[in-house]
Amino acid sequence: MYGHLLVRNDRLYHPGGNHPICSIQLAREMVRSGWMTKHDGEYEITAEGQLAAESELGR
C-alpha cells in the first residue's frame, strides 16, 4: 500500500480505484495503532504500517 487513501461509502480506496482497501472502522484502529495517519479526510500509511503490511505478506 502506498500514497494517500480516500474515503467513499464508509470505505477507503486508492485514488481512482474501484475496490475498497478497508473499512473506516479498521482505518481508525490503524490510526490509533500508528500504522496510518489522517489529514484533511485522507488517510496515509506510515512507515510502521508499511513494515507490518510487508511482514504479513511475507508469511
Side-chain angles (χ1 to χ4, degrees):
M1 220 179 338
Y2 57 90
H4 64 278
L5 302 172
L6 304 175
V7 177
R8 290 194 323 245
N9 304 321
D10 293 329
R11 302 229 183 260
L12 293 186
Y13 293 81
H14 282 290
N18 294 323
H19 301 287
I21 302 299
C22 67
S23 68
I24 294 298
Q25 183 178 2
L26 180 58
R28 288 180 183 145
E29 292 298 322
M30 292 174 73
V31 168
R32 235 177 294 213
S33 70
W35 289 2
M36 294 182 99
T37 59
K38 181 183 177 187
H39 298 287
D40 299 326
E42 294 181 350
Y43 290 81
E44 189 167 356
I45 193 165
T46 63
E48 293 84 6
Q50 187 65 40
L51 286 173
E54 289 171 2
S55 68
E56 190 65 29
L57 289 174
R59 287 184 169 190

